Amino acid sequence: MPNAVVLLIVVVLIIAAVTIATGAWRLAHTGGSQNPRVKARELRQRTLPSRAASPDVLAERTRRRMEAHVVDWCDGKQYAPSYYTIALAVPDFDEVSLDRDGFVSQLVSEFTKGCRANGWSLARSPKIELVFDDDVTEGSPRVHARFAAGDVPEAAMAGQAILQIVDSGDWWPLAAPEMIIGRGSRCDVQIDRSSVSRRHCELKLHKGTWTVCDLESSNGTFFEGERLEPGARVATTGGVLRLGSRVELRVLVDEGGACS
C-alpha cells in the first residue's frame, strides 16, 4: 500500500511539472498577451515574411509625403494644407493602430516643427485621418491633402485655379493640367464618399479652360444638373459639378493677376 501511495505522488508531480513546462513554453512564444490584435500581429511576424515598417519609419516616410503637399503661391510664400488622409497597407495600419494616438501626435508634432523650420505657413494644427487600403504597398504610405477655407490669404491666390467643395469650402489646388478625382487612393484628388467611384472623373486644362470628363462612374457626373455622357467633355469654370447625388464641387479661377 505505501508503494502505491508513493507511485501516485510521483505521477502527480510529473503531471504538474509537465503542465508548468508547457505553460512556460507558451508564455515564451506568445509573449503572454491576451490582446487578440497583438496576438494576431505576433503570429503573423513569426509565420509570414513582412515588409511592414516600424511606426517610427512610417512616421518619417509619412511626414516627408505630407511636406510634398506644401505649395508655393504668388506672394512668394509657401503654405501647408490643414487636412491629411494617410492611406496605409493593412499590416502597417495594424502596426500603428496599437498606438494610433501616439502615432498621429508624433506626425503632427514633427510636421509642425518642420513647417516652422522651413518658414512654411500653417494656419492651424494639421488634422490627420488614418485609413487602410489594400492597394497600398507595405512601408509606402500614400498621403492626400486638402486645404481648409482660410489656409491661404485671398490676396495670395491671384491667378490660381482650385477645386472647392461647395458645402465646406475645403479645396485642392489644381496643380497639374490633368487630375483624376475619385475615392481611390491613387487619384490626384481623393474624395472618400460612398457616392464617388474609385476613378470618378477627370479634370483637364484645355486651351486655358478647365474641363471635366466622366470616367464611367457608377453614380454619374453632373454639371449644372445635367448628367454627362461618359467620354463627353464640358467646361466647368464657374458652374457646380456634382459627383453622384451629394458631392458638389466648383472649379474656381482667380483672375486677379498679380498679387497685391
Side-chain angles (χ1 to χ4, degrees):
M1 188 70 177
N3 291 337
V5 173
V6 172
L7 181 59
L8 179 61
I9 292 174
V10 171
V11 170
V12 170
L13 290 175
I14 292 174
I15 293 174
V18 171
T19 301
I20 292 172
T22 301
W25 183 90
R26 287 178 177 172
L27 183 63
H29 286 76
T30 63
S33 174
Q34 298 302 311
N35 186 316
R37 184 183 290 273
V38 175
K39 282 186 174 182
R41 180 179 61 125
E42 292 174 346
L43 178 62
R44 183 176 65 248
Q45 290 174 339
R46 292 197 304 271
T47 59
L48 296 173
S50 177
R51 298 185 301 276
S54 69
D56 287 342
V57 172
L58 279 172
E60 173 63 18
R61 292 176 182 173
T62 302
R63 180 187 60 77
R64 291 201 302 266
R65 286 164 171 78
M66 289 170 67
E67 290 179 351
H69 289 274
V70 175
V71 295
D72 297 302
W73 292 94
C74 72
D75 61 354
K77 296 181 180 179
Q78 295 172 303
Y79 295 88
S82 288
Y83 298 113
Y84 298 85
T85 299
I86 316 298
L88 299 168
V90 174
D92 292 337
F93 184 83
D94 289 343
E95 185 77 30
V96 302
S97 290
L98 297 174
D99 185 17
R100 180 186 298 211
D101 291 342
F103 181 78
V104 171
S105 295
Q106 179 182 353
L107 275 179
V108 170
S109 175
E110 293 181 358
F111 183 69
T112 302
K113 290 178 183 177
C115 287
R116 293 197 190 106
N118 289 285
W120 300 333
S121 177
L122 183 64
R124 68 204 79 210
S125 179
K127 304 298 182 184
I128 296 176
E129 178 187 11
L130 299 179
V131 298
F132 61 85
D133 192 325
D134 292 330
D135 197 33
V136 175
T137 304
E138 291 182 33
S140 299
R142 198 170 289 155
V143 176
H144 286 270
R146 71 181 186 276
F147 287 83
D151 278 357
V152 179
E154 288 187 17
M157 298 175 66
Q160 305 294 325
I162 66 172
L163 177 67
Q164 185 182 59
I165 301 177
V166 173
D167 58 1
S168 68
D170 295 349
W171 55 273
W172 300 264
L174 295 177
E178 297 180 9
M179 301 186 72
I180 302 297
I181 303 172
R183 197 179 69 252
S185 62
R186 290 185 179 274
C187 294
D188 301 299
V189 173
Q190 185 185 35
I191 301 178
D192 191 14
R193 303 281 184 90
S194 59
S195 64
V196 178
S197 297
R198 290 186 68 84
R199 284 171 53 88
H200 198 103
C201 63
E202 179 193 51
L203 284 177
K204 184 175 182 179
L205 185 60
H206 179 68
K207 296 181 178 180
T209 300
W210 284 97
T211 62
V212 63
C213 175
D214 182 74
L215 298 177
E216 299 184 352
S217 62
S218 298
N219 296 311
T221 301
F222 300 78
F223 183 68
E224 293 294 280
E226 295 292 329
R227 182 164 184 164
L228 304 182
E229 293 294 328
R233 188 172 292 279
V234 300
T236 64
T237 306
V240 176
L241 181 67
R242 178 160 52 86
L243 310 186
S245 59
R246 298 185 179 182
V247 179
E248 293 188 334
L249 308 166
R250 281 197 186 97
V251 173
L252 301 177
V253 180
D254 191 311
E255 303 291 352
C259 292
S260 57

